[in-house]
Amino acid sequence: MQTRTNSQEKNIGFTKIAIFASGAGSNAKKIIEHFGNNNQISVGLVVCNKPEAGVLDIAAKAHIPVLIVDKEQFFRGNGYVDELKHSGIDFIVLAGFLWKIPQNLINAYRNKIINIHPALLPKFGGKGMYGSKVHQAVIAAGEKESGITIHYVDEHYDNGDIIFQASCPILSDDTPDTLAQKIHKLEHENFSRVIEECVKKV
Ligand code: GAR
């Protein structure tokens, strides 16, 4: 259980992150661990659109509150801006969240939302390009390398300014599964540190 001082509760000089994730949550787990003992940054909320997602167990074990979002309210309502503000969220990290971020959420958190994508953007991005579909497409295209891209989120899929990229070779016997393992390793090695650098710039 994390304890907080009064200034932290009021977010004075303190940044609260929400992790948006819909899958297994291996990146969310790393991020939660990374900020577990940080005096300036904490993970205050996990936002998820799938009630059966593995990331919910990870949040529960770490005693992090969860917000399950509904599609209708996400896209046609307020984009959950009020709920996020009410929870004191200052910064949003997309870690395997597959819905497009609606305009009112982007407006409320301009330059304060970052995403990780499992390929070297601008290649292999856009609608429908997520998880193993990305790795299948990369291998089918005969690419000799792939990697990860961490970028700011804007109105368009996988389009905002690139913050960080790291690459790995693709060998002739690589499959979408083996490539996914290499990509996850790169993500786990780099994402938390890059998040911390971005948060400190805000
Ligand atoms: C990660 O590889 C992330 O890059 C990808 O989903 C995976 C989530 O894994 N995101 C996308 O494809 C977004 N277009 P995790 O649930 O184990 O963190």
Side-chain angles (χ1 to χ4, degrees):
M1 176 71 84
Q2 294 175 345
T3 52
R4 297 279 168 239
T5 64
N6 284 342
S7 67
Q8 287 171 340
E9 293 293 350
K10 290 176 191 156
N11 285 14
I12 299 166
F14 188 75
T15 304
K16 230 180 187 185
I17 297 174
I19 301 175
F20 284 39
S22 313
S26 70
N27 280 287
K29 185 166 187 283
K30 285 279 171 192
I31 298 163
I32 290 166
E33 285 167 4
H34 180 88
F35 291 111
N37 289 317
N38 194 297
N39 290 325
Q40 293 171 312
I41 303 166
S42 78
V43 177
L45 189 66
V46 167
V47 175
C48 181
N49 65 299
K50 286 192 185 156
E52 73 285 2
V55 69
L56 298 179
D57 293 334
I58 290 165
K61 283 197 182 105
H63 306 285
I64 293 177
V66 163
L67 174 67
I68 304 279
V69 290
D70 164 75
K71 201 166 196 172
E72 182 69 16
Q73 189 178 344
F74 196 69
F75 289 109
R76 298 194 200 285
N78 70 347
Y80 288 89
V81 170
D82 298 342
E83 289 82 350
L84 292 165
K85 294 284 180 189
H86 182 76
S87 297
I89 298 303
D90 307 294
F91 198 91
I92 295 172
V93 172
L94 310 184
F97 188 74
L98 306 182
W99 288 352
K100 195 160 183 271
I101 300 302
Q103 189 69 51
N104 42 3
L105 194 43
I106 288 171
N107 291 346
Y109 286 92
R110 178 74 59 186
N111 295 322
K112 293 178 183 166
I113 310 177
I114 65 173
N115 178 45
I116 192 158
H117 185 77
L120 295 170
L121 292 174
K123 288 168 112 178
F124 304 104
K127 193 169 173 12
M129 275 294 184
Y130 58 86
S132 64
K133 292 189 182 189
V134 178
H135 309 313
Q136 284 165 16
V138 168
I139 288 176
E143 296 288 317
K144 296 285 172 261
E145 65 167 12
S146 190
I148 62 168
T149 304
I150 301 168
H151 65 95
Y152 287 103
V153 171
D154 67 10
E155 291 65 13
H156 308 286
Y157 269 115
D158 301 326
N159 181 70
D161 287 350
I162 291 175
I163 303 160
F164 176 85
Q165 291 186 304
S167 61
C168 60
I170 300 175
L171 307 178
S172 56
D173 60 351
D174 266 322
T175 64
D177 280 351
T178 61
L179 180 55
Q181 286 167 24
K182 291 183 190 179
I183 295 294
H184 264 121
K185 185 165 184 288
L186 282 180
E187 293 183 333
H188 298 164
E189 283 168 358
N190 292 288
F191 199 16
S192 299
R193 173 181 47 79
V194 173
I195 292 167
E196 187 164 352
E197 286 166 12
C198 291
V199 167
K200 284 182 174 165
K201 276 191 216 153
V202 172

